[in-house]
């Protein structure tokens, strides 16, 4: 770029971001007085390289916000990413750690604070704060519309998610899958009376924690108790008196999870305190999914321990009333679905599933049983730092996220194992499709059945670019409830199978707020023993690796099949980071050769052992 006068690099980046894709915008700029040439008049690349260190313009010298919009955007991104260090206004937020879920949260805040309704795709195409600010300046203003509070009544309409949970709860084999739990290791002395007071303050603040759900005529409705109608008390067990070892403690946790809830009568959560030492307690929180999701548990535990520490210090646990509650969301959701925007979301999904998707069998050589129980097993493994780093780079290359690469890798694995090219993978989304829902407890989670039609002869990089667009579109239309989609289908799902998909994936990147404040609190893993699908793939984003877990129906797949899945998945990830141009078809051929070689080696070993045995006779 030749400049006739001194150029503002920040303005240059902003102008380029308005006309070029993010991947084409230079990451750094070098000012030189002249391009060094060789005696033959060609560019002297060696001399040019030596000028870089002397003249490079660092990101920090040009990263501070230059206007109010950039300042607001900077605060939004740092809040949703839980970052302490500043983000430069020309820094790619996705390279800095953002993903689709975080971008969705940021987008709702942008609407609330800057009156701009952007599409999720806009944020990926303009991944810098400066680029987003430039886009907002030319976008149409949309006045922020808050969720209105509905009048008090004896009963309220349930949300669509609650209706689905209520229906599933009527199936005895499904009930165990609808109970979820969280185990907290509390490394300090514990005051049960203060803990219960802290919990009652949270219950008083959030109506959903005082809500029961039942059928009235042909309607699923919710009834909210007043704070005075119910006083919560936790249950405490002294494990030292019972002399419980680690296995017995795990059984205690499993037993607590297994106790069913009566949706029409019970308060739909419990706390069990297992005292294992004077300064060692296991706090087992169990709830029915109909009132809470992972995001909600985050809020509940944060508020609970804030109240607990305030009460310990002799202060009052202040209960700040919420402007709206879950019943207001349910009413707003029902109204929104009848609007033009709601119909657009419906049309997207019903078009996607105009025809029924095929069932996915990851071990087609094995005949699956007719009725498969929900009981499951786990298989754990890691994607180590070196491969993790390469996957992050590949995500940056497509101007996307690492999860988009992992999703493409997972669908490639499904194609290689099943032979199917029409693949649906279920994916949970937070479902908090309005900024007013950010600090609410309730069951907002929605399922996105992400459907792809794979051309196995395209390169993996091209496939991932297509999957990126597919994922962004799914997030853009995440408002439409999964149960409504199932109800609108012109075909029925197979009995005993999950509607629309057999496999799912969850990318865990949600930080618990209280970790940095209360270092005596530690979250413990709870053994998951059930799954509503044939296989669910969990990926946990850790600083130095991806911790991965397959949860699979043990009546359907053997441990050896799942071990092979892991081996093949890691092989796929390694190959696509080395050669993004490789196709899924070529990967399938490679995996077939690996499997055949293993079979031949096993035959050779068996023959060798047989010969050795015969020689001894």
């Amino acid at each position: 770029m030749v400049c006739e006068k001194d150029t503002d690099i920040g303005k240059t980046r902003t102008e380029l971001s308005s006309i070029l894709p993010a991947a084409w915008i230079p990451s750094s700029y070098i000012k030189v007085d002249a391009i060094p040439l060789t005696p033959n008049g060609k560019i002297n690349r060696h001399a040019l390289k030596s000028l870089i260190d002397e003249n490079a313009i660092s990101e920090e010298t040009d990263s501070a916000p230059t206007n109010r919009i950039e300042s607001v955007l900077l605060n939004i991104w740092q809040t949703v990413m839980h970052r302490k260090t500043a983000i430069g206004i020309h820094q790619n937020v996705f390279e800095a750690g953002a993903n689709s879920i975080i971008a969705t949260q940021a987008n709702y805040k942008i609407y609330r604070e800057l009156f701009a309704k952007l599409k999720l795709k806009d944020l990926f195409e303009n991944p810098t704060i400066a680029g987003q600010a430039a886009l907002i300046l030319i976008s149409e203003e949309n006045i922020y519309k808050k969720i209105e509070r509905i009048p008090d009544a004896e009963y309220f309409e349930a949300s669509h998610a609650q209706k689905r949970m209520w229906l599933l709860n009527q199936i005895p084999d499904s009930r165990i899958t609808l109970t979820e739990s969280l185990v907290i290791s509390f490394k300090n002395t514990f005051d049960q009376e203060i803990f219960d007071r802290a919990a009652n303050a949270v219950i008083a603040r959030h109506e959903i924690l005082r809500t029961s759900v039942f059928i009235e005529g042909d309607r699923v409705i919710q009834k909210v108790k007043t704070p005075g109608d119910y006083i919560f008390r936790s249950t405490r067990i002294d494990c030292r008196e019972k002399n419980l070892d680690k296995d017995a403690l795990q059984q205690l946790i499993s037993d607590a999870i297994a106790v069913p809830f009566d949706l029409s009568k019970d308060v739909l959560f419990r706390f069990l305190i297992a005292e294992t030492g004077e300064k060692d307690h296991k706090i087992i929180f169990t709830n029915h999914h109909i009132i809470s999701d992972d995001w909600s548990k985050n809020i509940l535990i944060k508020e609970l321990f804030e109240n607990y520490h305030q009460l310990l210090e002799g202060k009052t646990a202040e209960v700040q009333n919420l402007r709206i509650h879950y019943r207001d969301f349910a009413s707003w959701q029902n109204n929104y679905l009848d609007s033009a925007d709601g119909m657009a979301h419906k049309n997207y999904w019903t078009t996607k599933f105009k025809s029924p998707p095929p069932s996915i069998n990851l071990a087609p050589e094995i005949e699956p049983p007719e009725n498969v129980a929900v009981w499951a097993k786990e298989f754990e493994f890691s994607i180590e730092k070196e491969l993790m780093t390469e996957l992050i780079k590949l995500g940056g290359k497509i101007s996307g996220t690492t999860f988009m690469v992992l999703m493409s890798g997972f669908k490639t694995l499904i194609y290689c194992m099943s032979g199917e090219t029409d693949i649906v993978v279920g994916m949970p989304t937070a479902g908090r499709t309005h900024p007013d829902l950010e600090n609410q407890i309730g069951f907002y989670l929605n399922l996105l059945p992400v459907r792809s039609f794979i051309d196995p002869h395209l390169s993996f990089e091209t496939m991932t670019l297509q999957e990126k667009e597919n994922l962004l579109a799914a997030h853009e239309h995440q408002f439409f409830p999964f149960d409504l989609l199932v109800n609108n289908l012109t075909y029925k799902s197979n009995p005993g199978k999950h509607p629309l998909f057999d496999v799912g994936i969850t990318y865990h990147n949600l930080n618990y707020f209280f970790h940095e404040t209360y270092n005596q609190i530690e979250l413990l893993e709870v053994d998951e023993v059930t799954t509503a699908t044939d296989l669910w793939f969990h990926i946990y984003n850790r600083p130095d690796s991806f911790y991965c877990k397959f949860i699979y129906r043990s009546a359907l797949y053997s441990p050896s099949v799942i071990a092979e899945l892991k081996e093949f998945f890691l092989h796929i990830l390694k190959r696509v980071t080395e050669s993004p141009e490789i196709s899924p078809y070529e990967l399938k051929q490679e995996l077939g050769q690996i499997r055949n070689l293993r079979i031949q080696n096993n035959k050779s070993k068996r023959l060798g052992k047989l010969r050795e045995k015969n020689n001894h006779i």
Side-chain angles (χ1 to χ4, degrees):
M1 184 170 64
V2 179
C3 306
E4 295 180 356
K5 57 182 181 180
D6 193 28
T7 302
D8 185 312
I9 297 301
K11 290 181 179 178
T12 301
R13 283 196 184 99
T14 301
E15 289 172 6
L16 289 175
S17 67
S18 66
I19 59 175
L20 293 176
W24 294 7
I25 298 172
S27 58
S28 60
Y29 296 78
I30 313 298
K31 283 185 179 181
V32 294
D33 293 329
I35 301 293
L37 303 175
T38 65
N40 294 329
K42 297 181 180 180
I43 295 176
N44 188 333
R45 298 186 182 278
H46 179 75
L48 185 61
K49 189 176 180 180
S50 67
L51 293 174
I52 291 177
D53 292 335
E54 300 173 17
N55 299 282
I57 301 172
S58 69
E59 198 72 53
E60 287 74 17
T61 61
D62 189 38
S63 62
T66 60
N67 55 52
R68 189 189 76 86
I69 293 178
E70 289 179 353
S71 295
V72 173
L73 284 171
L74 176 62
N75 182 61
I76 287 172
W77 282 105
Q78 292 196 174
T79 299
V80 296
M81 292 172 69
H82 304 290
R83 278 182 64 114
K84 290 183 176 179
T85 56
I87 302 170
I89 63 169
H90 303 295
Q91 186 176 359
N92 186 317
V93 294
F94 298 102
E95 291 178 1
N99 55 35
S100 302
I101 296 173
I102 289 173
T104 301
Q105 296 173 40
N107 206 17
Y108 294 143
K109 287 179 177 287
I110 289 170
Y111 168 46
R112 181 175 61 191
E113 298 180 32
L114 293 171
F115 302 152
K117 275 193 172 182
L118 304 179
K119 292 185 176 182
L120 193 58
K121 188 176 180 179
D122 293 332
L123 300 183
F124 277 87
E125 291 179 349
N126 301 272
T128 67
I129 288 170
Q132 292 162 18
L135 185 63
I136 289 169
L137 280 172
I138 61 172
S139 66
E140 182 180 347
E141 183 176 82
N142 283 270
I143 300 302
Y144 176 68
K145 295 179 181 179
K146 63 184 180 181
I147 295 177
E148 297 295 341
R149 183 175 173 85
I150 61 175
D152 291 340
E154 186 176 2
Y155 305 115
F156 303 98
E157 189 79 16
S159 71
H160 285 280
Q162 284 182 316
K163 291 173 185 176
R164 175 168 170 75
M165 289 295 106
W166 186 89
L167 287 170
L168 288 173
N169 199 69
Q170 308 315 301
I171 305 170
D173 287 347
S174 296
R175 287 175 189 164
I176 188 68
T177 68
L178 305 180
T179 302
E180 59 176 6
S181 60
L182 181 72
V183 179
I184 303 167
S185 180
F186 191 82
K187 302 290 186 180
N188 207 332
T189 53
F190 184 79
D191 190 317
Q192 186 178 8
E193 181 187 352
I194 287 182
F195 179 85
D196 289 352
R197 286 168 58 195
N200 278 300
V202 179
I203 294 166
R205 175 172 160 83
H206 296 275
E207 278 187 359
I208 192 65
L209 298 177
R210 298 179 265 117
T211 297
S212 54
V213 182
F214 53 94
I215 193 81
E216 181 77 17
D218 59 351
R219 296 167 58 220
V220 180
I221 58 176
Q222 48 181 325
K223 180 178 175 64
V224 179
K225 300 177 179 67
T226 62
D229 287 344
Y230 179 79
I231 302 300
F232 167 79
R233 287 184 176 86
S234 60
T235 303
R236 187 167 185 164
I237 296 176
D238 192 334
C239 296
R240 294 174 296 179
E241 291 181 2
K242 295 180 178 292
N243 197 27
L244 297 180
D245 59 16
K246 184 177 179 181
D247 291 338
L249 180 61
Q250 181 58 53
Q251 187 59 49
L252 180 70
I253 294 170
S254 299
D255 291 344
I257 296 168
V259 177
F261 288 96
D262 184 336
L263 300 188
S264 65
K265 297 177 182 177
D266 291 347
V267 170
L268 302 177
F269 71 95
R270 308 183 189 101
F271 277 103
L272 174 64
I273 315 300
E275 186 175 356
T276 53
E278 185 180 349
K279 290 190 175 183
D280 189 4
H281 300 78
K282 304 297 183 287
I283 303 172
I284 305 162
F285 171 66
T286 310
N287 69 279
H288 195 286
H289 233 322
I290 205 165
I291 64 160
S292 179
D293 51 27
D294 279 352
W295 189 313
S296 297
K297 283 192 291 189
N298 203 4
I299 296 168
L300 188 150
I301 300 302
K302 173 180 178 287
E303 292 187 6
L304 174 63
F305 281 98
E306 283 178 349
N307 291 344
Y308 181 79
H309 283 80
Q310 285 177 346
L311 290 168
L312 272 182
E313 294 171 1
K315 300 176 183 177
T316 303
E318 296 182 5
V319 180
Q320 296 182 347
N321 293 329
L322 293 167
R323 187 182 65 80
I324 62 168
H325 293 279
Y326 190 83
R327 45 139 164 183
D328 304 303
F329 157 74
S331 174
W332 170 79
Q333 180 192 50
N334 291 330
N335 292 330
Y336 181 88
L337 287 169
D338 291 332
S339 69
D341 287 345
M343 291 303 297
H345 296 314
K346 175 183 176 180
N347 291 338
Y348 170 83
W349 288 111
T350 52
T351 301
K352 271 280 184 183
F353 287 91
K354 186 166 51 177
S355 60
S359 292
I360 297 296
N361 185 358
L362 299 172
E365 68 279 3
I366 301 172
E367 187 68 27
E370 288 188 10
N371 296 308
V372 182
V374 299
W375 300 105
K377 290 184 178 179
E378 298 180 355
F379 186 97
E380 302 175 2
F381 64 99
S382 293
I383 299 172
E384 299 303 335
K385 187 171 184 179
E386 184 177 351
L387 181 54
M388 178 187 185
T389 302
E390 294 305 314
L391 291 168
I392 293 170
K393 287 180 183 177
L394 186 53
K397 186 177 181 182
I398 64 162
S399 300
T401 65
T402 311
F403 173 70
M404 292 171 180
V405 178
L406 290 167
M407 176 68 109
S408 291
F410 188 45
K411 287 190 173 179
T412 299
L413 175 69
I414 294 169
Y415 158 72
C416 291
M417 300 300 288
S418 68
E420 296 290 350
T421 55
D422 178 359
I423 297 172
V424 184
V425 173
M427 182 179 72
T429 183
R432 294 170 188 257
T433 50
H434 193 285
D436 287 353
L437 306 175
E438 182 180 15
N439 295 317
Q440 296 281 323
I441 292 177
F443 185 52
Y444 297 94
L445 181 141
N446 194 17
L447 288 174
L448 303 182
V450 184
R451 190 173 192 176
S452 303
F453 296 91
I454 292 174
D455 182 343
H457 297 285
L458 293 177
S459 71
F460 180 83
E461 184 174 350
T462 302
M463 172 187 167
T464 306
L465 285 167
Q466 292 177 347
E467 191 62 28
K468 170 188 170 183
E469 298 302 315
N470 201 18
L471 284 166
L472 292 177
H475 275 287
E476 202 67 52
H477 295 281
Q478 67 172 289
F479 189 95
F480 196 69
F482 178 75
D483 65 295
L484 267 190
L485 170 60
V486 173
N487 292 341
N488 276 275
L489 297 177
T490 57
Y491 49 87
K492 299 297 181 184
S493 301
N494 295 331
K497 299 282 282 183
H498 193 282
L500 295 183
F501 57 85
D502 300 306
V503 295
I505 188 170
T506 303
Y507 184 73
H508 300 267
N509 198 36
L510 188 61
N511 295 320
Y512 280 81
F513 301 140
F514 55 80
H515 274 188
E516 295 169 1
T517 308
Y518 309 121
N519 57 17
Q520 69 268 42
I521 299 172
E522 177 188 0
L523 295 180
L524 300 181
E525 290 287 332
V526 179
D527 291 339
E528 296 196 47
V529 293
T530 63
T531 176
T533 58
D534 295 345
L535 179 137
W536 203 280
F537 183 25
H538 291 269
I539 306 168
Y540 298 81
N541 188 354
R542 293 180 173 174
D544 57 349
S545 67
F546 288 124
Y547 163 66
C548 303
K549 180 162 58 177
F550 286 134
I551 299 177
Y552 64 97
R553 286 187 171 177
S554 49
L556 184 61
Y557 296 126
S558 66
S560 61
V561 168
I562 302 301
E564 186 178 62
L565 278 183
K566 181 269 291 189
E567 177 193 353
F568 285 176
F569 183 61
L570 292 179
H571 177 86
I572 288 169
L573 296 185
K574 187 171 186 298
R575 291 289 286 119
V576 299
T577 53
E578 293 170 346
S579 305
E581 68 278 1
I582 195 169
S583 70
Y585 177 79
E586 291 170 314
L587 286 164
K588 186 179 181 184
Q589 299 301 111
E590 286 186 9
L591 297 183
Q593 291 170 5
I594 293 171
R595 178 181 281 171
N596 290 336
L597 183 60
R598 182 188 295 117
I599 292 171
Q600 291 172 6
N601 288 338
N602 289 339
K603 283 182 179 179
S604 298
K605 288 179 181 178
R606 284 197 298 270
L607 285 172
K609 288 181 180 179
L610 186 61
R611 291 193 189 99
E612 186 178 343
K613 184 178 180 180
N614 290 336
N615 289 336
H616 287 290
I617 296 175

